[in-house]
C-alpha cells in the first residue's frame, strides 16, 4: 500500500501522545463489579491511579468519593494567592487583528 507511514513516524506520534497524557489521574472504587459511574456508592473507598504512558499505576487510596474529588480536582488559587505572572499584561494601543483603528480623518486631528 502506498499510504502506509513509516514505522518511525508512527512511533514518534505514539510517544508524543503518551507524553501528553502522562500524569493524568483517576479514581476507581474498591468494590465488586463493573465500575460505570463515579456517583455510585459515594461512601466506598477509592484507589487513585496515575497514567504513566502505558498503564494505570496505583498511587494512593482515599476513604470516599469526596476525598477522591479533592485529590483529582484541587482547589484553584484565589486572587490573593495567584502568582504575579498569572496576571495578563494590560493591552495598550495597537493595531492588532481585533482592535478598532481610528478612521483616517480622525488621525489628522
Amino acid at each position: 500500500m502506498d499510504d502506509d507511514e513509516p514505522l518511525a513516524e508512527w512511533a514518534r506520534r505514539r510517544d508524543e501522545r503518551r507524553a501528553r497524557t502522562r500524569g493524568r489521574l483517576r479514581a476507581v472504587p474498591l468494590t465488586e463489579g463493573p465500575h460505570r459511574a463515579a456517583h455510585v456508592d459515594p461512601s466506598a473507598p477509592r484507589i487513585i491511579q496515575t497514567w504513566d504512558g502505558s498503564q494505570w499505576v496505583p498511587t494512593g487510596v482515599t476513604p470516599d468519593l469526596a476525598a477522591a474529588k479533592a485529590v483529582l480536582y484541587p482547589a484553584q488559587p484565589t486572587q490573593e494567592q495567584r502568582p504575579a505572572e498569572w496576571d495578563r499584561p494590560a493591552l495598550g494601543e495597537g493595531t492588532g487583528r481585533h482592535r478598532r483603528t481610528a478612521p483616517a480623518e480622525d488621525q489628522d486631528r
Side-chain angles (χ1 to χ4, degrees):
M1 298 179 84
D2 294 332
D3 59 348
D4 285 343
E5 66 180 320
L7 184 59
E9 178 66 23
W10 173 83
R12 182 192 60 77
R13 285 190 307 107
R14 183 199 57 194
D15 292 341
E16 285 177 0
R17 185 173 49 249
R18 284 183 175 177
R20 280 193 314 265
T21 59
R22 191 171 291 130
R24 290 183 57 197
L25 296 174
R26 76 176 183 181
V28 179
L30 291 174
T31 57
E32 292 290 326
H35 302 113
R36 300 191 197 284
H39 66 278
V40 176
D41 200 7
S43 61
R46 305 292 205 264
I47 185 165
I48 305 297
Q49 297 175 331
T50 305
W51 181 251
D52 72 354
S54 60
Q55 65 182 352
W56 290 100
V57 179
T59 57
V61 177
T62 60
D64 58 8
L65 178 59
K69 283 185 175 183
V71 172
L72 296 178
Y73 312 109
Q76 295 296 318
T78 61
Q79 186 66 24
E80 302 85 45
Q81 298 171 335
R82 285 179 152 185
E85 63 268 8
W86 283 17
D87 295 330
R88 287 183 57 191
L91 298 174
E93 293 295 322
T95 59
R97 180 175 179 191
H98 297 288
R99 299 201 184 221
R100 287 184 64 185
T101 56
E105 61 269 1
D106 288 345
Q107 291 177 357
D108 295 334
R109 294 181 191 176

